[in-house]
Every structure is written in structure tokens, then in C-alpha cells.
Amino acid sequence: MSYLRTFLPWIVFAVIPSGQWQWGALAALVIAVATIAQQRRSGAGFDALLIEAGSAVFFAVLAAVAFADPHSGVHAYSAALSSGTLAVVAGVSLAVRRPFTLGIAKRTTPREYWDLKPFIRINVVITAVWTAAFVLTAVVLAVLAHSGHAHSTPATVVQIAGFAVPMVFTVRYVAHVQAKAGQAAR
């Protein structure tokens, strides 16, 4: 469920009707800030909140643009920009060798595993898959926006797939690694 909480602002923004994009951006901003505050109070470190912090910054800027000019050309590309922002945050986390999934995984993994190379490697792989999914989603959504189909059923399907595919991969990959480790321990 931590991934759902992490991406909740993006999900809320995606499901609010595009004609109300300024309110969707504001709702996503409020959720991102509330999530950060709640998680910090419960002891989460900043490393577990990279996506949430990126979300808050993105939605603050988007809400400002959307309220300043609800008919801005940014509107058509807002979904592509959101996926692009996630790609940048995830990609930078890889580049600085702090994969964003590492902080999330630490929430449910015993401390003695945190510094082990296999644990870090697993999170590098998972973050790389999320990053690739965000990049691909951003590109496809930009192409759809450019062709006049920014807020269409295909765009919605692409957005859903952009989250669902890496989420399913994460669950299956972790299960595979755990099963493999269990067999090796026998």
C-alpha cells in the first residue's frame, strides 16, 4: 500500500475531470503535502519521501499555472509533464545512487538488510523499471497531446498502464527474489 500512498496525488490529479485541472492540481498538492506531513510525523525519513516531495513541487507549480490561466497550453501537456516529472525524480534518484524505492522498501524491511548489496541492487532494478515506465508514459502522452488527444480514453489507458505495469513488476520481482532467497536458505 505504500506505493499507492506515494502516487496518490498523481492518481487524484488523473481522475479529476480535465476541465477542472486547476482543482485537480490543487487537490494533488494538498494530498502531497498532507502525505509528507503524516509520513514525517510517523518517522519516515526524507529518503522515503522523494516522490512525494517532487509531487508537491510539481503540483504547486502546476496549480499556480492553472489558476493563473485555466486555458493555458500547459493543460494539454499536463499529463505528459506529470509523467516526465516522475521520470526526472526517479532518474535523479538513480543517478545519485539513492533509488526512490529504497526508502519505501526500508519501511517494511528489517534494518539489517538495508546496507546489503542485494537489497540495494533490487531497489536499483525496481527504480529503473519505474523510471523507464515514466519516460515511456511521458513520451506517449506527449505524442497524444500533440495530436490533439491529450484528454482522451487512450491517454487515460496510457496513464493507468504507466502506474500499473511497474507496480505489478515490483510485486512480482520482490516475490521472485524472496522465493529465490528462501530456496537458497534451504
Side-chain angles (χ1 to χ4, degrees), residues 85-181:
T85 298
L86 287 168
V88 168
V89 171
V92 167
S93 80
L94 281 173
V96 300
R97 298 178 189 255
R98 302 292 297 167
F100 83 87
T101 60
L102 197 59
I104 297 168
K106 285 179 179 179
R107 293 176 181 174
T108 58
T109 304
R111 182 175 282 284
E112 61 264 19
Y113 295 104
W114 292 5
D115 295 323
L116 297 179
K117 287 183 182 181
F119 179 71
I120 294 168
R121 177 71 185 140
I122 289 164
N123 281 283
V124 167
V125 169
I126 292 169
T127 299
V129 169
W130 279 96
T131 303
F134 294 146
V135 168
L136 182 60
T137 301
V139 169
V140 173
L141 289 171
V143 168
L144 286 168
H146 186 72
S147 67
H149 301 288
H151 305 288
S152 62
T153 299
T156 301
V157 170
V158 168
Q159 285 181 293
I160 292 168
F163 285 102
V165 169
M167 195 171 292
V168 168
F169 171 81
T170 299
V171 170
R172 289 186 177 176
Y173 182 65
V174 168
H176 169 75
V177 169
Q178 288 174 336
K180 208 168 149 180

Side-chain angles (χ1 to χ4, degrees), residues 5 19 22-23 26 37 39 42 49-50 57 61 72 79-80 82 94-95 100 103 105 109 125 128-129 138 153 171 173:
R5 179 179 47 240
Q22 66 272 38
W23 295 106
L26 183 61
Q39 289 299 303
S42 69
L49 301 170
L50 295 175
V57 171
V61 171
S72 168
S82 70
L94 281 173
F100 83 87
T109 304
V125 169
V129 169
T153 299
V171 170
Y173 182 65

